[in-house]
């Protein structure tokens, strides 16, 4: 069991769960898919592979932050700025 | 020269929520509705934290006026990088009538008490759209103001502010201490991620009552009625220009 990486994986999971609450298609939708994605790779042992997957998870987290920011920016721009 | 920045943050109904007017037309439905930090306040917090990261200011203090739940908004500001928070407790009827005049009196009193150099606020709140608190605070303190700031540069003991105005961009230089209000393009606020929120739990939020600051909260405004905007009328389609002219004549427009 890749023990030091386990805590990183758990931390990533909690992070994504928290970020996914605001997902436009619904927090439940996101949570179900998040859980499916993590359980699918449950049996992976190779540390390199795990690290690569963690990196991909962090990429998803950054993409979510960008999505939320853009949504908010566009909404504010539309409401408050005459084009 | 304390190098302290005071940032005002307001708890408002989340920008993405569909607003519903109460059946008795006295206000909007707020119970059970998702609330979050005013988007312009997020930009204000981000600017203050950026100033601290550039080591141009020493401390960022987040302030919010409202009931218990306002503490969540302060926690978000702390998670974004503010050092400590001040929760000015206002609840019940006082909170219903809390407006820019009262908040600016509170901010002015706090600025003096905390010896702040800069106050940064959002330019307006998305619930009341007053766009007054920053300006009133500056007037009460007799400080210069840089409103609708889309770029802020500290230059010695002065601040260079690029303001978004109708005609384009205006650059001004003001003395410190000063009040700034954040416009949409000032910066990109960081997201308060879970690890940051956990870290922020250790930061302190002080509890203050408006009476402690010597502020009178009575409002001279009374909300008479709140109603939905008029429903948009469906358009009519016509086949030819003659039809269009005929319809316009019918409606008495031509």
């Amino acid at each position: 069991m890749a023990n030091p990486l386990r805590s990183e994986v758990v931390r990533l999971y909690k992070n994504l769960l928290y970020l996914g609450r605001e997902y436009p298609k619904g927090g439940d939708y996101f949570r179900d898919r998040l859980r499916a994605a993590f359980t699918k790779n449950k049996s992976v042992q190779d540390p390199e592979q795990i690290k690569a997957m963690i990196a991909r998870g962090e990429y998803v987290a950054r993409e979510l932050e960008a999505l939320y920011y853009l949504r908010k920016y566009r909404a504010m721009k539309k409401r408050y700025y005459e084009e | 020269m304390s190098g302290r920045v005071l940032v005002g943050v307001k708890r408002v109904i989340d920008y993405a929520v569909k607003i519903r007017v109460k059946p008795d037309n006295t206000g909007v439905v707020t119970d059970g509705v998702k609330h979050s930090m005013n988007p312009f306040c997020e930009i204000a917090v981000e600017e203050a934290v950026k100033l601290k990261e550039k080591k141009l200011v020493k401390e960022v203090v987040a302030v919010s006026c409202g009931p218990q739940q306002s503490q969540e908004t302060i926690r978000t500001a702390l998670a974004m990088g503010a050092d400590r928070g001040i929760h000015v407790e206002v609840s019940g009827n006082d909170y219903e009538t809390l407006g820019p005049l009262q908040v600016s009196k509170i901010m002015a009193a706090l600025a003096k008490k905390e010896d702040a150099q800069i106050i940064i606020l959002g330019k307006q709140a998305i619930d009341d759209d007053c766009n007054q608190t920053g300006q009133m605070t500056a007037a009460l303190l007799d400080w210069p103001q840089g409103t609708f700031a889309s770029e802020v540069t500290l230059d010695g003991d002065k601040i260079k502010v690029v303001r978004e105005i109708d005609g384009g961009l205006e650059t001004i230089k003001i003395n410190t201490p000063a009040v700034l209000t954040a416009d949409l393009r000032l910066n990109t606020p960081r997201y308060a991620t879970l690890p940051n929120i956990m870290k922020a739990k250790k930061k302190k939020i002080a509890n203050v009552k408006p009476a402690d600051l010597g502020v009178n909260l009575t409002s001279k405004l009374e909300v008479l009625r709140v109603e939905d905007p008029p429903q948009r009328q469906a358009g009519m389609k016509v086949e030819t220009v003659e039809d269009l002219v005929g319809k316009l004549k019918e409606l008495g427009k031509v």
Side-chain angles (χ1 to χ4, degrees), chain B residues 144-159:
Chain B
Q145 53 185 274
T147 51
F148 309 102
S150 69
E151 200 186 306
V152 168
T153 323
L154 260 57
D155 185 9
D157 61 347
K158 296 200 198 292
I159 309 180

Side-chain angles (χ1 to χ4, degrees), chain A residues 36-61:
Chain A
F38 269 69
T39 46
K40 188 174 70 159
N41 297 314
K42 199 160 61 166
S43 53
V44 173
Q45 298 286 10
D46 176 27
E48 288 306 303
Q49 260 189 297
I50 296 178
K51 278 197 196 132
M53 286 186 203
I54 291 177
R56 185 151 32 112
E58 286 172 357
Y59 170 76
V60 170

Side-chain angles (χ1 to χ4, degrees), chain B residues 4-69:
Chain B
R4 187 170 291 133
V5 179
L6 225 58
V7 183
V9 295
K10 186 177 181 189
R11 178 176 180 262
V12 298
I13 297 180
D14 189 78
Y15 82 99
V17 167
K18 185 154 169 39
I19 308 289
R20 283 180 308 138
V21 177
K22 280 196 233 179
D24 59 3
N25 287 112
T26 54
V28 299
V29 178
T30 53
D31 286 337
V33 173
K34 180 172 183 218
H35 282 66
S36 52
M37 192 192 291
N38 181 35
F40 294 108
C41 295
E42 287 177 356
I43 300 174
V45 173
E46 176 65 25
E47 195 60 22
V49 173
K50 273 200 164 77
L51 287 175
K52 195 182 83 159
E53 286 172 348
K54 288 187 208 159
K55 301 214 195 302
L56 295 168
V57 297
K58 274 186 251 145
E59 195 187 26
V60 176
V61 182
V63 180
S64 192
C65 308
Q68 268 304 101
Q69 298 96 319

Side-chain angles (χ1 to χ4, degrees), chain A residues 66-77:
Chain A
L67 168 74
Y68 296 156
Y69 169 69
L70 273 174
R71 260 174 85 218
K72 193 176 280 191
Y73 178 84
R74 283 184 185 141
M76 291 297 112
K77 187 154 178 265

Side-chain angles (χ1 to χ4, degrees), chain B residues 212-232:
Chain B
D212 299 342
L213 300 167
V215 171
N216 182 353
L217 288 180
T218 46
S219 173
K220 296 185 183 156
L221 301 173
E222 185 196 332
V223 174
L224 296 175
R225 193 177 159 81
V226 176
E227 45 185 61
D228 278 303
Q231 294 285 30
R232 198 165 158 245

Side-chain angles (χ1 to χ4, degrees), chain A residues 15 18 22 72 79-81, chain B residues 15 42 129 183 191 197:
Chain A
N15 247 346
Y18 180 77
E22 262 190 77
K72 193 176 280 191
R79 286 180 203 174
Y80 288 103
Y81 298 86
Chain B
Y15 82 99
E42 287 177 356
D129 285 322
D183 208 327
Y191 201 85
I197 295 185

